[in-house]
Amino acid sequence: TEKQAQQKQEKTQQQHDQVQVLNRLKELARRQQMVNERLKQLESELRTATTDEEREEIERELKRLRDEQREMLRDVDELSERMQQATDPQKPESAPLRQHLEQARENVQQASRSMDEGKLAEAISEGTRAERKFEQLKEEFRNQTSSQFEEAMRDLRDQAQELSRQQEELARQLADEEPPK
């Protein structure tokens, strides 16, 4: 019973970790999309800027976006660690998830480098790839965890049926032992 309780607690913790990873993937995809959209807008504004003051303001905003991109890179690294905790590294389906996350990380890193070098079109392209990878990863992770959830639900249903059977057996035994009145 203790072992079962511990296993159940571990599964519950793993499911909690999986939900956190899924939420983090959604957040990263959303943030990358926002950075991409703002970057496109700033690229356009930079082309049409006529005064030094306008260009300086755009450069300040670009610097802020570069900082946001670097922060996302740190968040991806943190997410990678969380994913390792939330998935079983022994399971073969975990490897593609880690690989896709690494590819998304590379895209975020390349977008950051391109922004540093002033190559905005390249940064937008890499950022868009990263966003797509995050979305793809989110769906794959959701599919993998939903199958684990279904398996856990089947286990719980089986346990409930076993408990019900045991309860009925105990009720019969008690009814047989009661003295007639």
Side-chain angles (χ1 to χ4, degrees):
T1 305
E2 245 179 70
K3 188 174 182 177
Q4 285 177 338
Q6 184 180 4
Q7 286 174 342
K8 186 175 180 179
Q9 185 179 8
E10 288 171 1
K11 273 189 177 183
T12 302
Q13 181 61 42
Q14 188 180 27
Q15 288 171 347
H16 176 72
D17 291 346
Q18 289 170 346
V19 169
Q20 285 183 326
V21 166
L22 191 58
N23 288 337
R24 198 69 166 154
L25 284 168
K26 287 178 192 176
E27 177 194 343
L28 285 169
R30 181 190 53 77
R31 283 171 53 197
Q32 187 64 58
Q33 179 185 22
M34 289 171 53
V35 167
N36 294 344
E37 289 171 1
R38 185 66 180 134
L39 197 53
K40 288 175 190 174
Q41 184 181 18
L42 289 174
E43 181 188 37
S44 174
E45 288 175 11
L46 192 59
R47 275 190 252 132
T48 60
T50 55
T51 66
D52 288 340
E53 190 176 286
E54 287 175 328
R55 284 187 192 92
E56 287 174 12
E57 179 60 34
I58 292 169
E59 287 298 325
R60 279 193 293 276
E61 184 67 19
L62 284 170
K63 182 182 181 322
R64 190 190 68 72
L65 285 178
R66 282 192 295 270
D67 292 343
E68 172 68 21
Q69 197 73 34
R70 286 187 193 105
E71 185 179 325
M72 274 197 293
L73 193 57
R74 287 187 296 273
D75 291 345
V76 171
D77 290 339
E78 178 188 314
L79 177 63
S80 179
E81 290 175 23
R82 257 196 197 158
M83 272 184 75
Q84 288 178 352
Q85 294 170 354
T87 59
D88 183 357
Q90 304 302 321
K91 289 190 176 181
E93 60 268 15
S94 296
L97 293 175
R98 286 190 301 277
Q99 183 180 10
H100 287 300
L101 183 62
E102 184 56 34
Q103 289 171 348
R105 184 194 185 286
E106 289 173 18
N107 293 131
V108 170
Q109 189 172 31
Q110 187 57 45
S112 181
R113 269 194 226 115
S114 296
M115 289 172 75
D116 288 343
E117 296 169 3
K119 299 176 183 176
L120 300 184
E122 194 176 303
I124 291 168
S125 178
E126 288 296 330
T128 302
R129 284 187 196 106
E131 179 187 346
R132 280 193 220 123
K133 280 291 179 194
F134 287 133
E135 289 293 339
Q136 181 183 8
L137 186 57
K138 180 181 74 172
E139 288 306 312
E140 288 177 21
F141 192 78
R142 183 186 325 225
N143 291 338
Q144 181 181 338
T145 56
S146 69
S147 67
Q148 290 174 353
F149 178 74
E150 290 169 5
E151 182 181 318
M153 291 303 292
R154 278 192 300 273
D155 289 346
L156 287 174
R157 186 190 66 228
D158 293 345
Q159 288 175 5
Q161 288 172 346
E162 178 61 21
L163 285 173
S164 178
R165 187 192 63 72
Q166 289 174 356
Q167 185 178 14
E168 288 172 6
E169 179 64 28
L170 285 172
R172 273 196 298 276
Q173 288 175 0
L174 286 173
D176 291 344
E177 290 179 9
E178 277 188 22
K181 296 182 182 177

